Amino acid sequence: MPELKQQVALVTGGGQGLGEAICRSLGEAGAVVAVADLRIDRAEAVAGALAKDGVRTLPIMLDVGDEEQARKAVTRVGEAFGRIDILVNNAAIDRTVSIEELSFEEWDRILTTNLRGPFVLSKIVLPLMKQQRRGHIVNIVSTAAKRAWANASAYHASKWGLLGFSHALHVEARPHQVKVTAVVSGGMRTPFLLERFPDIDTTTLQDPRNVADTIRCILQLPAETVVPELMVIPMRETSWP
């Protein structure tokens, strides 16, 4: 498989968890990594660690649902590195409450981050990739896009929507030699789960690095091959049969 040497990747939610693991994996494969996160301190910490390992990197503060911030982030990456070859739409949030308890504001915030964010970034980046006649957009979905459980209505709505959006984008981008992949990831040992569910059985979860390395493999496939959707779950996954 070809390496990712000097390919430029923009990873959202790159300051911790799966996003951090993706940044590290792509950096090890030779990619240039722009670490984008809502919290600049987290982005800077990950970028600093990558730089110590010899990775060319750039920390960026980014609220993915904010169109203006997204345009500025893409411009910064372009000015720093000349292009964007890889976009990983990873940033996501959730609020684990019943629909009666979920406020209108919380619903909007979750959908803005989890669904509008990937749309905004993809809309801005796709024309650049079309000009290059190459590029790869990876959307981090979830088993929440395949089934449903209680107290996650907004999260389910956003992830089901993201899966549909990803496949639609695949159809539009494919004629221009731009790849789009939806990665349906199962439970991982990341703050996203561990901070909200401190009593969760961690033996049913997977190391986020496993998912990150799977994404790295997808990105290294030959130019003539694309994987529109891939599911990566722990051996003891509880949210999928």
Side-chain angles (χ1 to χ4, degrees):
M1 290 184 181
E3 285 296 303
L4 302 178
K5 189 172 180 60
Q6 297 308 307
Q7 289 197 39
V8 179
L10 171 59
V11 182
T12 70
Q16 66 174 3
L18 176 59
E20 179 180 358
I22 293 169
C23 290
R24 291 182 181 277
S25 184
L26 300 191
E28 290 171 8
V32 177
V33 183
V35 184
D37 200 276
L38 185 61
R39 287 183 49 175
I40 188 60
D41 58 322
R42 289 177 175 170
E44 289 174 340
V46 173
L50 292 175
K52 289 180 180 178
D53 291 333
V55 178
R56 292 178 66 199
T57 185
L58 175 70
I60 299 175
M61 186 180 76
L62 174 61
D63 180 346
V64 295
D66 186 310
E67 178 186 341
E68 186 62 27
Q69 285 192 34
R71 290 192 184 280
K72 288 180 179 179
V74 171
T75 298
R76 281 193 64 194
V77 176
E79 290 175 346
F81 306 120
R83 63 187 190 280
I84 296 180
D85 302 295
I86 299 163
L87 168 64
V88 183
N89 287 310
N90 167 73
I93 59 173
D94 190 17
R95 176 87 164 92
T96 309
V97 294
S98 69
I99 191 170
E100 289 91 350
E101 297 172 274
L102 186 69
S103 70
F104 294 111
E105 293 78 14
E106 288 168 335
W107 171 277
D108 289 343
R109 184 166 57 89
I110 293 168
L111 269 291
T112 294
T113 299
N114 298 5
L115 185 54
R116 175 180 164 82
F119 161 71
V120 169
L121 268 298
S122 298
K123 180 177 174 62
I124 295 169
V125 168
L126 181 59
L128 306 178
M129 292 182 170
K130 287 168 66 175
Q131 289 177 2
Q132 297 168 177
R133 297 292 293 175
R134 63 170 292 172
H136 202 143
I137 298 172
V138 178
N139 295 310
I140 306 301
V141 192
S142 164
T143 51
K146 295 291 187 176
R147 59 173 296 187
W149 47 86
N151 301 324
S153 58
Y155 188 70
H156 282 298
S158 67
K159 291 301 185 178
W160 281 70
L162 181 56
L163 183 59
F165 169 72
S166 190
H167 278 282
L169 188 61
H170 159 74
V171 173
E172 290 191 27
R174 191 175 174 192
H176 304 283
Q177 305 302 309
V178 177
K179 302 181 183 183
V180 180
T181 301
V183 175
V184 181
S185 57
M188 292 171 282
R189 293 188 291 273
T190 65
F192 185 77
L193 284 179
L194 300 180
E195 290 180 355
R196 291 183 299 134
F197 306 106
D199 296 328
I200 195 170
D201 181 357
T202 57
T203 65
T204 66
L205 306 176
Q206 60 188 331
D207 187 333
R209 181 60 192 247
N210 300 345
V211 179
D213 287 346
T214 301
I215 293 167
R216 171 177 167 177
C217 288
I218 292 170
L219 292 170
Q220 291 177 309
L221 288 174
E224 65 181 1
T225 300
V226 60
V227 178
E229 180 182 333
L230 180 71
M231 183 182 291
V232 189
I233 60 175
M235 287 295 287
R236 294 183 61 195
E237 174 66 73
T238 59
S239 66
W240 189 253

